[in-house]
Amino acid sequence: MSLTKIERRTSIPVNVGSVTIGGSTPIVVQSMTNTDTADVKATVKQVHELAQSGSELVRVTVNNEESAKAVAEIRDKLDALNCEVPLIGDFHFNGHRLLTEFPDCAQALAKYRINPGNVGKGQRRDTQFVQMVEVACRYDKPVRIGVNWGSLDQSVLARLLDENTQAGNPKELPEIMREAVITSALESAAQAVEVGLPKERIILSCKMSGVQELIAVYQNLAMRCDYALHLGLTEAGIGTKGIVASTAALSVLLQQGIGDTIRISLTPAPGTSRTQEVIVGQEILQTMGVRSFTPMVIACPGCGRTTSDYFQHLAQDIQSYLRHKMPEWREQYHGVEEMEVAVMGCVVNGPGESKNANIGISLPGTGETPVAPVFEDGKRTVTLKGDHIAEEFQQIVDRYVETHYG
């Protein structure tokens, strides 16, 4: 039985540096630093780590003069490392001033992120929004108009609430909130076009922190425009909560063909790497069958037949090894990101799963003969035993990559 291919909605492609978002291009994974952007060394290090892990766009905070001054130097140092990942500037409250007063920053960034709710109030809102768009026009930069319901333009919400009060059949407040988010994005985009920014340099996002609200908003937004759409559950949370919530929301939208670029807004645990949000984004797309990034490891959960945790350690080690090798393999071995590796723990499903993967190993369960058959493309090629099974299997994986993807 063949599965139906996911058909994406038609959107206007947007060039962001060397990366294209929208149209028929692959969905792009992006991330954001949490360093002080004024700390050039720390920011360069983190951007480079994010890019090495597979982030195709990286956003940095530009919130004061020091960070604005640092952006061009950060770009230069990344270029010296042959790290060409486009940088996006995240602006709130004072972006109009920073982009105007620091042209090197405006030029070095590949895209500007503008939040309509945080560009000013009253008449200043329009003036300052226009000022930022004019800078984008001057330097031929795309803009993401990123509405967030935690910082929604209150004038839009107030207007819609007034209209709702006067309506014969008023809507519930949550529906008005969702409409206010969408209206803010669409009206801001229309204003940017009126100022002179082409539609092919506009990306929209309407971020919510609730799964059902996010799905409802993007389904509505996708029907009402052909702009490229950035997906993300804002303030997703820490640990498994953030991963599960983001996966639940984005998987529904991706299955419906909605979304051109994604970011997973995880709260990292203290001392952990920022790259986790990149890995989660990649794995959502890969497990959905949308796009491949790195060889996938298939591993059984374990049961009473696998009282040893050896297969768990081997699966973890192999997965870490594959991710570690991907920056190098990506350049040398075309298609390796679609490889599947099975690490199984007993005879029940071990041989079968190993045969179905590109390469697999079936480790002995409790009471089984202490040998581990290895399968390549469905055929048993060797049986490993002894104290160095892990090292030998890793070498077999290396040889498989070299011979099949070289």
Side-chain angles (χ1 to χ4, degrees), residues 71-128:
V71 167
E73 185 179 356
I74 291 168
R75 179 72 272 167
D76 288 342
K77 290 187 178 299
L78 288 169
D79 290 343
L81 293 170
N82 293 319
C83 180
E84 300 177 355
V85 64
L87 291 179
I88 296 113
D90 191 57
F91 295 96
H92 298 272
F93 311 113
N94 58 357
H96 61 291
R97 183 175 62 82
L98 296 176
L99 283 171
T100 303
E101 295 180 5
F102 298 93
D104 287 348
C105 170
Q107 183 63 55
L109 293 169
K111 184 179 72 165
Y112 312 150
R113 187 278 178 127
I114 304 175
N115 183 339
N118 286 342
V119 294
K121 296 181 179 180
Q123 291 184 339
R124 286 194 308 162
R125 186 267 180 204
D126 288 342
T127 300
Q128 293 171 181

Short mmCIF file of all heavy atoms in Angstrom, two decimals, residues 71-128:
data_model
loop_
_atom_site.label_atom_id
_atom_site.label_comp_id
_atom_site.label_asym_id
_atom_site.label_seq_id
_atom_site.Cartn_x
_atom_site.Cartn_y
_atom_site.Cartn_z
N VAL A 71 26.79 42.83 15.25
CA VAL A 71 26.27 41.94 14.21
C VAL A 71 27.22 41.79 13.03
O VAL A 71 27.48 40.67 12.56
CB VAL A 71 24.88 42.44 13.73
CG1 VAL A 71 24.47 41.71 12.44
CG2 VAL A 71 23.84 42.21 14.81
N ALA A 72 27.76 42.90 12.53
CA ALA A 72 28.65 42.82 11.36
C ALA A 72 29.91 42.02 11.69
O ALA A 72 30.40 41.24 10.86
CB ALA A 72 29.02 44.22 10.89
N GLU A 73 30.43 42.19 12.90
CA GLU A 73 31.62 41.43 13.29
C GLU A 73 31.30 39.94 13.42
O GLU A 73 32.11 39.08 13.03
CB GLU A 73 32.17 41.96 14.62
CG GLU A 73 33.48 41.30 15.03
CD GLU A 73 34.05 41.84 16.34
OE1 GLU A 73 33.46 42.80 16.89
OE2 GLU A 73 35.07 41.28 16.81
N ILE A 74 30.12 39.63 13.95
CA ILE A 74 29.70 38.23 14.05
C ILE A 74 29.63 37.61 12.66
O ILE A 74 30.11 36.50 12.43
CB ILE A 74 28.33 38.14 14.76
CG1 ILE A 74 28.49 38.52 16.24
CG2 ILE A 74 27.73 36.74 14.63
CD1 ILE A 74 27.17 38.74 16.96
N ARG A 75 29.06 38.35 11.71
CA ARG A 75 28.97 37.86 10.34
C ARG A 75 30.36 37.60 9.75
O ARG A 75 30.59 36.58 9.09
CB ARG A 75 28.21 38.88 9.49
CG ARG A 75 28.03 38.55 8.01
CD ARG A 75 27.04 37.42 7.80
NE ARG A 75 27.66 36.09 7.83
CZ ARG A 75 26.99 34.96 7.92
NH1 ARG A 75 25.66 34.98 7.98
NH2 ARG A 75 27.60 33.80 7.95
N ASP A 76 31.28 38.52 9.98
CA ASP A 76 32.64 38.38 9.45
C ASP A 76 33.33 37.15 10.03
O ASP A 76 34.00 36.39 9.31
CB ASP A 76 33.47 39.63 9.74
CG ASP A 76 33.04 40.83 8.90
OD1 ASP A 76 32.35 40.62 7.87
OD2 ASP A 76 33.38 41.97 9.28
N LYS A 77 33.18 36.95 11.33
CA LYS A 77 33.85 35.81 11.97
C LYS A 77 33.23 34.48 11.54
O LYS A 77 33.93 33.48 11.41
CB LYS A 77 33.80 35.97 13.50
CG LYS A 77 34.70 37.10 14.02
CD LYS A 77 34.77 37.12 15.53
CE LYS A 77 35.70 38.22 16.02
NZ LYS A 77 37.09 38.05 15.55
N LEU A 78 31.92 34.46 11.31
CA LEU A 78 31.29 33.24 10.79
C LEU A 78 31.78 32.94 9.38
O LEU A 78 32.06 31.79 9.04
CB LEU A 78 29.77 33.40 10.80
CG LEU A 78 29.10 33.38 12.18
CD1 LEU A 78 27.64 33.81 12.06
CD2 LEU A 78 29.20 31.99 12.82
N ASP A 79 31.90 33.97 8.56
CA ASP A 79 32.41 33.78 7.20
C ASP A 79 33.84 33.22 7.23
O ASP A 79 34.20 32.38 6.41
CB ASP A 79 32.39 35.11 6.44
CG ASP A 79 30.98 35.57 6.11
OD1 ASP A 79 30.06 34.73 6.17
OD2 ASP A 79 30.79 36.76 5.81
N ALA A 80 34.64 33.68 8.21
CA ALA A 80 36.01 33.19 8.33
C ALA A 80 36.04 31.71 8.70
O ALA A 80 37.01 31.00 8.39
CB ALA A 80 36.78 34.01 9.37
N LEU A 81 34.95 31.23 9.34
CA LEU A 81 34.84 29.81 9.69
C LEU A 81 34.16 29.00 8.59
O LEU A 81 33.87 27.82 8.78
CB LEU A 81 34.03 29.67 10.99
CG LEU A 81 34.65 30.21 12.28
CD1 LEU A 81 33.63 30.21 13.40
CD2 LEU A 81 35.88 29.41 12.66
N ASN A 82 33.93 29.65 7.44
CA ASN A 82 33.19 29.03 6.34
C ASN A 82 31.78 28.61 6.76
O ASN A 82 31.24 27.62 6.27
CB ASN A 82 33.95 27.82 5.78
CG ASN A 82 35.23 28.22 5.09
OD1 ASN A 82 35.28 29.22 4.37
ND2 ASN A 82 36.29 27.46 5.32
N CYS A 83 31.23 29.38 7.68
CA CYS A 83 29.86 29.14 8.15
C CYS A 83 28.97 30.19 7.50
O CYS A 83 28.91 31.34 7.92
CB CYS A 83 29.80 29.26 9.68
SG CYS A 83 28.16 28.98 10.37
N GLU A 84 28.26 29.78 6.46
CA GLU A 84 27.50 30.72 5.64
C GLU A 84 26.04 30.83 6.06
O GLU A 84 25.23 31.43 5.35
CB GLU A 84 27.58 30.30 4.17
CG GLU A 84 29.01 30.28 3.62
CD GLU A 84 29.07 29.81 2.19
OE1 GLU A 84 28.00 29.40 1.66
OE2 GLU A 84 30.16 29.84 1.61
N VAL A 85 25.68 30.28 7.21
CA VAL A 85 24.28 30.30 7.63
C VAL A 85 23.77 31.75 7.71
O VAL A 85 24.42 32.62 8.28
CB VAL A 85 24.11 29.60 8.99
CG1 VAL A 85 24.86 30.33 10.11
CG2 VAL A 85 22.64 29.44 9.35
N PRO A 86 22.62 32.05 7.09
CA PRO A 86 22.08 33.41 7.16
C PRO A 86 21.68 33.79 8.59
O PRO A 86 21.15 32.96 9.35
CB PRO A 86 20.85 33.34 6.25
CG PRO A 86 21.11 32.18 5.34
CD PRO A 86 21.85 31.19 6.17
N LEU A 87 21.94 35.04 8.95
CA LEU A 87 21.57 35.57 10.26
C LEU A 87 20.31 36.41 10.14
O LEU A 87 20.18 37.24 9.24
CB LEU A 87 22.69 36.44 10.83
CG LEU A 87 23.98 35.75 11.25
CD1 LEU A 87 24.97 36.79 11.77
CD2 LEU A 87 23.73 34.70 12.31
N ILE A 88 19.40 36.20 11.08
CA ILE A 88 18.17 37.00 11.13
C ILE A 88 18.23 37.87 12.38
O ILE A 88 18.61 37.40 13.45
CB ILE A 88 16.92 36.10 11.19
CG1 ILE A 88 16.81 35.29 9.90
CG2 ILE A 88 15.67 36.90 11.40
CD1 ILE A 88 17.02 33.84 10.08
N GLY A 89 17.85 39.13 12.23
CA GLY A 89 17.81 40.03 13.37
C GLY A 89 16.43 40.07 13.99
O GLY A 89 15.43 40.27 13.29
N ASP A 90 16.36 39.87 15.30
CA ASP A 90 15.10 39.89 16.04
C ASP A 90 14.94 41.25 16.71
O ASP A 90 15.69 41.59 17.62
CB ASP A 90 15.10 38.77 17.09
CG ASP A 90 13.73 38.56 17.69
OD1 ASP A 90 12.79 38.30 16.94
OD2 ASP A 90 13.60 38.65 18.93
N PHE A 91 13.96 42.03 16.25
CA PHE A 91 13.80 43.41 16.71
C PHE A 91 12.49 43.60 17.45
O PHE A 91 11.43 43.12 17.01
CB PHE A 91 13.85 44.37 15.51
CG PHE A 91 15.17 44.40 14.79
CD1 PHE A 91 15.37 43.62 13.67
CD2 PHE A 91 16.21 45.19 15.25
CE1 PHE A 91 16.59 43.64 13.00
CE2 PHE A 91 17.44 45.21 14.60
CZ PHE A 91 17.63 44.43 13.47
N HIS A 92 12.56 44.32 18.56
CA HIS A 92 11.37 44.72 19.30
C HIS A 92 11.60 46.13 19.86
O HIS A 92 12.70 46.45 20.30
CB HIS A 92 11.09 43.76 20.47
CG HIS A 92 10.81 42.35 20.05
ND1 HIS A 92 9.54 41.90 19.74
CD2 HIS A 92 11.63 41.29 19.86
CE1 HIS A 92 9.60 40.63 19.40
NE2 HIS A 92 10.86 40.23 19.47
N PHE A 93 10.56 46.93 19.85
CA PHE A 93 10.53 48.25 20.49
C PHE A 93 11.41 49.30 19.82
O PHE A 93 10.95 50.39 19.51
CB PHE A 93 10.89 48.15 21.98
CG PHE A 93 10.13 47.09 22.72
CD1 PHE A 93 10.77 45.96 23.21
CD2 PHE A 93 8.75 47.19 22.89
CE1 PHE A 93 10.06 44.97 23.87
CE2 PHE A 93 8.03 46.20 23.55
CZ PHE A 93 8.69 45.09 24.04
N ASN A 94 12.69 49.01 19.61
CA ASN A 94 13.61 50.04 19.09
C ASN A 94 14.27 49.64 17.77
O ASN A 94 15.28 50.21 17.38
CB ASN A 94 14.71 50.34 20.12
CG ASN A 94 15.51 49.10 20.51
OD1 ASN A 94 15.22 48.00 20.06
ND2 ASN A 94 16.52 49.29 21.35
N GLY A 95 13.70 48.68 17.07
CA GLY A 95 14.31 48.22 15.82
C GLY A 95 14.41 49.30 14.77
O GLY A 95 15.39 49.34 14.01
N HIS A 96 13.43 50.21 14.72
CA HIS A 96 13.48 51.29 13.74
C HIS A 96 14.72 52.14 13.91
O HIS A 96 15.35 52.56 12.94
CB HIS A 96 12.22 52.15 13.86
CG HIS A 96 12.06 52.80 15.20
ND1 HIS A 96 11.78 52.09 16.36
CD2 HIS A 96 12.18 54.10 15.58
CE1 HIS A 96 11.71 52.91 17.38
NE2 HIS A 96 11.95 54.14 16.94
N ARG A 97 15.08 52.38 15.15
CA ARG A 97 16.26 53.21 15.43
C ARG A 97 17.55 52.46 15.17
O ARG A 97 18.49 52.99 14.56
CB ARG A 97 16.20 53.72 16.88
CG ARG A 97 17.35 54.66 17.25
CD ARG A 97 17.17 55.21 18.64
NE ARG A 97 17.18 54.19 19.66
CZ ARG A 97 18.31 53.66 20.16
NH1 ARG A 97 19.51 54.04 19.69
NH2 ARG A 97 18.25 52.74 21.11
N LEU A 98 17.62 51.21 15.62
CA LEU A 98 18.85 50.44 15.46
C LEU A 98 19.16 50.18 13.99
O LEU A 98 20.31 50.27 13.56
CB LEU A 98 18.73 49.12 16.22
CG LEU A 98 18.59 49.22 17.74
CD1 LEU A 98 18.38 47.85 18.37
CD2 LEU A 98 19.82 49.91 18.36
N LEU A 99 18.15 49.84 13.21
CA LEU A 99 18.38 49.58 11.78
C LEU A 99 18.81 50.84 11.04
O LEU A 99 19.59 50.78 10.09
CB LEU A 99 17.12 49.00 11.15
CG LEU A 99 16.84 47.52 11.44
CD1 LEU A 99 15.46 47.13 10.95
CD2 LEU A 99 17.89 46.63 10.81
N THR A 100 18.30 51.97 11.48
CA THR A 100 18.64 53.23 10.82
C THR A 100 20.02 53.73 11.23
O THR A 100 20.81 54.18 10.38
CB THR A 100 17.59 54.31 11.17
OG1 THR A 100 16.29 53.85 10.78
CG2 THR A 100 17.89 55.62 10.44
N GLU A 101 20.34 53.62 12.51
CA GLU A 101 21.59 54.18 13.02
C GLU A 101 22.79 53.27 12.80
O GLU A 101 23.94 53.73 12.88
CB GLU A 101 21.45 54.49 14.51
CG GLU A 101 20.43 55.59 14.80
CD GLU A 101 20.30 55.88 16.29
OE1 GLU A 101 21.07 55.28 17.08
OE2 GLU A 101 19.42 56.67 16.65
N PHE A 102 22.55 51.99 12.53
CA PHE A 102 23.66 51.05 12.36
C PHE A 102 23.51 50.33 11.01
O PHE A 102 23.08 49.16 10.95
CB PHE A 102 23.71 50.06 13.52
CG PHE A 102 23.94 50.71 14.84
CD1 PHE A 102 22.87 51.08 15.66
CD2 PHE A 102 25.23 51.02 15.26
CE1 PHE A 102 23.08 51.70 16.87
CE2 PHE A 102 25.45 51.65 16.49
CZ PHE A 102 24.37 52.00 17.29
N PRO A 103 23.86 51.00 9.94
CA PRO A 103 23.70 50.42 8.59
C PRO A 103 24.51 49.14 8.39
O PRO A 103 24.11 48.28 7.60
CB PRO A 103 24.17 51.54 7.67
CG PRO A 103 24.99 52.46 8.52
CD PRO A 103 24.40 52.37 9.88
N ASP A 104 25.67 49.00 9.07
CA ASP A 104 26.43 47.76 8.94
C ASP A 104 25.63 46.56 9.46
O ASP A 104 25.70 45.47 8.90
CB ASP A 104 27.75 47.86 9.72
CG ASP A 104 28.75 48.78 9.04
OD1 ASP A 104 28.51 49.13 7.87
OD2 ASP A 104 29.77 49.13 9.67
N CYS A 105 24.87 46.79 10.52
CA CYS A 105 23.99 45.74 11.06
C CYS A 105 22.89 45.42 10.06
O CYS A 105 22.64 44.25 9.76
CB CYS A 105 23.40 46.21 12.38
SG CYS A 105 22.07 45.16 13.04
N ALA A 106 22.26 46.45 9.54
CA ALA A 106 21.16 46.26 8.58
C ALA A 106 21.63 45.50 7.35
O ALA A 106 20.90 44.67 6.80
CB ALA A 106 20.58 47.61 8.19
N GLN A 107 22.86 45.76 6.92
CA GLN A 107 23.40 45.11 5.73
C GLN A 107 23.83 43.68 6.01
O GLN A 107 23.66 42.79 5.17
CB GLN A 107 24.59 45.91 5.20
CG GLN A 107 25.19 45.38 3.91
CD GLN A 107 24.21 45.42 2.75
OE1 GLN A 107 23.65 46.47 2.45
NE2 GLN A 107 23.98 44.28 2.12
N ALA A 108 24.38 43.42 7.19
CA ALA A 108 24.92 42.09 7.50
C ALA A 108 23.83 41.05 7.73
O ALA A 108 24.04 39.86 7.50
CB ALA A 108 25.82 42.17 8.74
N LEU A 109 22.66 41.49 8.16
CA LEU A 109 21.56 40.56 8.42
C LEU A 109 20.92 40.12 7.11
O LEU A 109 20.80 40.89 6.17
CB LEU A 109 20.52 41.21 9.32
CG LEU A 109 20.96 41.50 10.75
CD1 LEU A 109 19.93 42.38 11.45
CD2 LEU A 109 21.17 40.21 11.54
N ALA A 110 20.49 38.87 7.07
CA ALA A 110 19.84 38.34 5.88
C ALA A 110 18.34 38.55 5.90
O ALA A 110 17.68 38.47 4.86
CB ALA A 110 20.14 36.85 5.73
N LYS A 111 17.78 38.82 7.08
CA LYS A 111 16.34 39.02 7.21
C LYS A 111 16.08 39.74 8.52
O LYS A 111 16.84 39.62 9.48
CB LYS A 111 15.60 37.67 7.19
CG LYS A 111 14.08 37.77 7.23
CD LYS A 111 13.43 36.37 7.18
CE LYS A 111 13.61 35.63 8.47
NZ LYS A 111 12.71 34.45 8.60
N TYR A 112 14.99 40.50 8.56
CA TYR A 112 14.57 41.17 9.80
C TYR A 112 13.28 40.53 10.28
O TYR A 112 12.37 40.25 9.49
CB TYR A 112 14.31 42.66 9.57
CG TYR A 112 15.38 43.41 8.83
CD1 TYR A 112 15.06 44.51 8.04
CD2 TYR A 112 16.74 43.04 8.91
CE1 TYR A 112 16.04 45.22 7.35
CE2 TYR A 112 17.72 43.73 8.22
CZ TYR A 112 17.37 44.82 7.44
OH TYR A 112 18.33 45.52 6.75
N ARG A 113 13.19 40.32 11.59
CA ARG A 113 11.93 39.86 12.19
C ARG A 113 11.30 41.06 12.90
O ARG A 113 11.90 41.65 13.80
CB ARG A 113 12.18 38.72 13.17
CG ARG A 113 10.91 38.04 13.73
CD ARG A 113 10.28 38.78 14.87
NE ARG A 113 9.05 38.13 15.34
CZ ARG A 113 8.84 37.80 16.60
NH1 ARG A 113 9.74 38.07 17.52
NH2 ARG A 113 7.70 37.24 16.96
N ILE A 114 10.08 41.40 12.50
CA ILE A 114 9.36 42.53 13.08
C ILE A 114 8.09 42.02 13.73
O ILE A 114 7.31 41.30 13.11
CB ILE A 114 9.00 43.58 12.01
CG1 ILE A 114 10.24 44.07 11.27
CG2 ILE A 114 8.28 44.76 12.65
CD1 ILE A 114 9.94 45.02 10.12
N ASN A 115 7.87 42.39 14.98
CA ASN A 115 6.65 42.04 15.71
C ASN A 115 5.75 43.28 15.71
O ASN A 115 6.06 44.27 16.36
CB ASN A 115 7.00 41.63 17.14
CG ASN A 115 5.78 41.19 17.93
OD1 ASN A 115 4.65 41.53 17.60
ND2 ASN A 115 6.01 40.44 18.99
N PRO A 116 4.62 43.25 14.98
CA PRO A 116 3.76 44.43 14.89
C PRO A 116 3.28 44.94 16.25
O PRO A 116 2.98 46.13 16.39
CB PRO A 116 2.59 43.96 14.04
CG PRO A 116 3.10 42.79 13.28
CD PRO A 116 4.09 42.13 14.19
N GLY A 117 3.21 44.05 17.23
CA GLY A 117 2.75 44.48 18.55
C GLY A 117 3.80 45.19 19.37
O GLY A 117 3.49 45.77 20.42
N ASN A 118 5.06 45.15 18.91
CA ASN A 118 6.15 45.74 19.69
C ASN A 118 6.94 46.78 18.91
O ASN A 118 8.13 46.96 19.13
CB ASN A 118 7.12 44.63 20.15
CG ASN A 118 6.55 43.80 21.27
OD1 ASN A 118 5.61 44.20 21.95
ND2 ASN A 118 7.11 42.62 21.47
N VAL A 119 6.29 47.49 18.00
CA VAL A 119 7.01 48.53 17.25
C VAL A 119 6.59 49.93 17.69
O VAL A 119 7.12 50.93 17.19
CB VAL A 119 6.80 48.39 15.72
CG1 VAL A 119 7.42 47.12 15.22
CG2 VAL A 119 5.32 48.47 15.36
N GLY A 120 5.65 50.02 18.60
CA GLY A 120 5.20 51.33 19.07
C GLY A 120 3.69 51.35 19.20
O GLY A 120 3.00 50.43 18.78
N LYS A 121 3.18 52.44 19.79
CA LYS A 121 1.75 52.56 20.00
C LYS A 121 1.22 53.81 19.28
O LYS A 121 1.94 54.78 19.09
CB LYS A 121 1.44 52.64 21.49
CG LYS A 121 1.81 51.38 22.27
CD LYS A 121 1.47 51.51 23.74
CE LYS A 121 1.83 50.24 24.50
NZ LYS A 121 1.50 50.34 25.95
N GLY A 122 -0.07 53.76 18.94
CA GLY A 122 -0.69 54.92 18.31
C GLY A 122 -0.05 55.27 16.99
O GLY A 122 0.30 54.40 16.19
N GLN A 123 0.13 56.58 16.76
CA GLN A 123 0.72 57.04 15.51
C GLN A 123 2.17 56.59 15.37
O GLN A 123 2.67 56.37 14.27
CB GLN A 123 0.64 58.56 15.42
CG GLN A 123 -0.79 59.09 15.26
CD GLN A 123 -0.83 60.58 15.09
OE1 GLN A 123 0.11 61.29 15.47
NE2 GLN A 123 -1.93 61.08 14.53
N ARG A 124 2.87 56.45 16.51
CA ARG A 124 4.27 56.01 16.46
C ARG A 124 4.38 54.61 15.88
O ARG A 124 5.37 54.26 15.26
CB ARG A 124 4.88 56.02 17.86
CG ARG A 124 5.20 57.41 18.39
CD ARG A 124 6.09 57.31 19.60
NE ARG A 124 5.54 56.39 20.60
CZ ARG A 124 6.25 55.84 21.58
NH1 ARG A 124 7.55 56.08 21.67
NH2 ARG A 124 5.69 55.03 22.46
N ARG A 125 3.35 53.80 16.10
CA ARG A 125 3.38 52.42 15.60
C ARG A 125 3.55 52.42 14.09
O ARG A 125 4.44 51.76 13.55
CB ARG A 125 2.10 51.70 16.01
CG ARG A 125 2.09 50.20 15.66
CD ARG A 125 1.45 49.95 14.32
NE ARG A 125 1.43 48.54 13.98
CZ ARG A 125 1.36 48.07 12.75
NH1 ARG A 125 1.33 48.89 11.72
NH2 ARG A 125 1.34 46.77 12.53
N ASP A 126 2.72 53.15 13.38
CA ASP A 126 2.80 53.18 11.92
C ASP A 126 4.11 53.78 11.45
O ASP A 126 4.75 53.26 10.52
CB ASP A 126 1.62 53.97 11.34
CG ASP A 126 0.31 53.21 11.45
OD1 ASP A 126 0.36 51.98 11.66
OD2 ASP A 126 -0.75 53.84 11.35
N THR A 127 4.52 54.87 12.08
CA THR A 127 5.75 55.54 11.67
C THR A 127 6.95 54.64 11.82
O THR A 127 7.80 54.52 10.92
CB THR A 127 5.95 56.83 12.49
OG1 THR A 127 4.83 57.70 12.29
CG2 THR A 127 7.24 57.54 12.07
N GLN A 128 7.05 53.98 12.96
CA GLN A 128 8.21 53.14 13.23
C GLN A 128 8.19 51.85 12.43
O GLN A 128 9.24 51.35 12.01
CB GLN A 128 8.30 52.88 14.74
CG GLN A 128 8.62 54.17 15.50
CD GLN A 128 8.52 54.05 17.01
OE1 GLN A 128 8.73 55.03 17.72
NE2 GLN A 128 8.17 52.88 17.52
#
